């Protein structure tokens, strides 16, 4: 996914907010935590483009390892359960949950290393064939790129309904 991460973060924020309402977090900080979490795994682009372009793909970095976000999500969940003041814990939980959603979305056609660091074999539901020589252009020309419209449309629908 390229364009759907932020809309998916908005959708998750709308759906998750009621479940964490008892934490007393106001909407704007909660939405910000969700949106930042939705793009957090892709912050490795900064490193990839500025320092280390030797890697095969930016999905090979730890920020795209499910175990990394899974451990953080588990810690955030325990913290939320045990905390007396749940406000910050709820924000961290929403942030890490959205990062996990990001990895699931990337798994549609983006090759996530689900077993890393034990195995670095990339997995995806669909393989985008190499046609143009540009990975991004190949993806945009593949039918799976149309799946990005689902979270985008869902987010627009939720946003209009909220207004």
């Amino acid at each position: 996914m390229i364009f759907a991460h932020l809309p998916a973060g908005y959708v998750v924020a709308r759906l998750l907010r009621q479940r964490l309402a008892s934490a007393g977090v106001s909407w704007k900080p909660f939405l910000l935590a969700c949106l930042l979490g939705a793009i957090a795994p892709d912050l490795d682009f900064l490193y990839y483009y500025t320092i280390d372009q030797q890697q095969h793909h930016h999905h090979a970095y730890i920020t795209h390892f499910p175990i990394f976000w899974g451990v953080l999500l588990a810690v955030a969940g325990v913290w939320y359960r045990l905390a007396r003041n749940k406000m910050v814990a709820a924000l961290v939980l929403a942030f890490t949950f959205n990062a996990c959603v990001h990895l699931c979305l990337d798994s549609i056609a983006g090759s996530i290393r689900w077993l890393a660091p034990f195995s670095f074999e990339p997995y995806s539901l669909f393989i985008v064939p190499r046609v143009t020589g540009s990975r991004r252009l190949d993806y945009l020309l593949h039918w799976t790129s149309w799946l990005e419209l689902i979270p985008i449309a869902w987010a627009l629908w939720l946003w209009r309904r909220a207004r």
Side-chain angles (χ1 to χ4, degrees), residues 51-62:
I51 297 169
D52 183 23
Q53 295 180 359
Q54 302 300 316
Q55 285 282 352
H56 182 66
H57 194 277
H58 82 104
H59 286 184
Y61 295 122
I62 193 170

Side-chain angles (χ1 to χ4, degrees), residues 40-121:
D42 280 339
L43 293 178
D44 58 13
F45 265 121
L46 299 173
Y47 181 77
Y48 177 74
Y49 282 119
T50 58
I51 297 169
D52 183 23
Q53 295 180 359
Q54 302 300 316
Q55 285 282 352
H56 182 66
H57 194 277
H58 82 104
H59 286 184
Y61 295 122
I62 193 170
T63 56
H64 273 88
F65 291 178
I67 196 169
F68 175 76
W69 293 107
V71 167
L72 290 179
L73 182 62
V75 168
V78 169
W79 179 18
Y80 180 78
R81 275 271 204 212
L82 299 177
R84 286 196 180 135
N85 183 355
K86 297 184 182 290
M87 201 175 311
V88 175
L91 292 173
V92 174
L93 186 62
F95 177 89
T96 55
F97 183 77
N98 272 281
C100 292
V101 170
H102 177 111
L103 298 180
C104 293
L105 291 174
D106 274 357
S107 293
I108 294 172
S111 300
I112 295 298
R113 286 142 177 87
W114 280 94
L115 301 177
F118 309 107
S119 169
F120 293 95
E121 183 74 25

